Every structure is written in C-alpha cells, then in structure tokens.
Amino acid sequence: MSEITLKKALEDALDKEQKAHDFYMKLCELITDLGAKSIIKELAEEEIKHKEMIKTAIETGKIEHIGPETKFYTTDLGIAQMVLPQVITEDLSVQDVLRIAMKHEDNSRVFYEKLAEKFKGTETEDFFKRMAIEEATHRNKIQNIYDDIIYEEN
C-alpha cells in the first residue's frame, strides 16, 4: 500500500463528504416525491456534519474525540448491492432513490474502512473506523426505511 499522510487522508475524506453532499443536493433537485426528498435532504445535512468534523481535524491537527462513539450497527441486508438505475431522472421511484442513497453510503463506508486499514494501530485508525460506522449507520437507516416501504407494499 502506498503511504498516505493524515493530512492527505483527511483532505480526501473532506473531498468525499463534499461530493456526497453535492450528489444528494443534485438528487434532491431531480426527484419530486416529497418523502424521498426529505430523506435525501437529511442525508445531505449529515454530510455537512461530517465535513465540519473533518475540517476541525484538519485545522487542529487532532482527531481524538471526533466522530460518533457508536460501536454497533445493524446487519447489512444487501439491498445496496441491487442493480441501480442507469440514469437519475425526476420520475425515480422512492425505492430507486433509497437504493441509490444506500449504495452511496455503502461506498463511503468502504472508503473509510480502507483509510482505517492504512492507519492500522493508530488513533487515526479509530477515527476512520468511527466514520465507517457512521456511514454504515446511514446506510442501515435508509435500508430500514426501504424495507418498511417494501413491507407496506406487499
């Protein structure tokens, strides 16, 4: 694995969170379903919180006590692995929007897990593991909403 500095890792994470926020805002502009729009706006706000945590870490050079202390998250039901629509349009179903959001959060989880692995044995590893858990928690929240919608329809 190539070497990466903490500052570079945090800058990459900040960029990832900005792109996630931009993605959710663009998705929000395109969709018309109010329920899906509300969920997506909430996710965009979470990305802003992540950006602020990471900015603080970059500015202070400290990562201790940044991020959630969550130790547990629910089992992945694998919904994020389903085939996604090729084109994002305003007439996407709520289910499609939720699947897209789950996939996005799952990709972020993997991103942070890889960063944690690069900093194995340090407090930086713990920070990135907490961020991975945060992303997995978001994915699971969306997954549960998706599951509730499917259950209601059947």
Side-chain angles (χ1 to χ4, degrees):
M1 275 187 215
S2 63
E3 291 295 316
I4 184 170
T5 65
L6 174 58
K7 183 177 182 191
K8 174 66 172 135
L10 290 171
E11 288 170 349
D12 289 349
L14 185 63
D15 183 56
K16 175 121 179 91
E17 296 297 334
Q18 180 63 53
K19 286 179 180 173
H21 177 263
D22 293 348
F23 169 77
Y24 285 134
M25 294 308 294
K26 183 67 175 172
L27 189 58
C28 206
E29 288 174 16
L30 291 173
I31 58 177
T32 56
D33 182 276
L34 295 179
K37 195 175 280 259
S38 174
I39 293 165
I40 297 303
K41 281 184 181 177
E42 186 178 319
L43 290 168
E45 290 170 10
E46 288 294 322
E47 303 304 344
I48 290 173
K49 290 177 190 174
H50 291 170
K51 280 178 44 184
E52 292 306 315
M53 287 189 314
I54 295 166
K55 277 184 187 177
T56 299
I58 291 171
E59 291 167 3
T60 65
K62 297 179 182 179
I63 58 167
E64 62 271 352
H65 309 299
I66 294 179
E69 293 296 328
T70 308
K71 300 280 187 212
F72 172 81
Y73 56 94
T74 59
T75 304
D76 179 10
L77 298 177
I79 299 169
Q81 306 307 317
M82 297 172 81
V83 176
L84 298 176
Q86 295 296 315
V87 179
I88 297 174
T89 63
E90 64 183 38
D91 62 343
L92 285 175
S93 71
V94 175
Q95 291 173 353
D96 285 339
V97 170
L98 292 174
R99 287 191 350 244
I100 291 166
M102 275 186 279
K103 184 65 173 177
H104 201 73
E105 294 295 328
D106 206 44
N107 288 343
S108 293
R109 175 193 55 82
V110 170
F111 170 79
Y112 285 118
E113 286 174 348
K114 287 180 180 178
L115 283 177
E117 184 63 32
K118 288 185 185 243
F119 289 93
K120 194 164 187 69
T122 69
E123 67 180 11
T124 304
E125 176 189 14
D126 294 338
F127 170 74
F128 287 126
K129 280 184 175 180
R130 287 193 312 265
M131 292 300 292
I133 289 169
E134 180 77 4
E135 300 296 352
T137 301
H138 292 170
R139 180 207 59 217
N140 291 335
K141 180 179 179 181
I142 301 163
Q143 181 175 262
N144 290 336
I145 293 167
Y146 182 94
D147 195 43
D148 288 346
I149 290 170
I150 296 297
Y151 181 73
E152 283 180 21
E153 289 181 358
N154 293 322

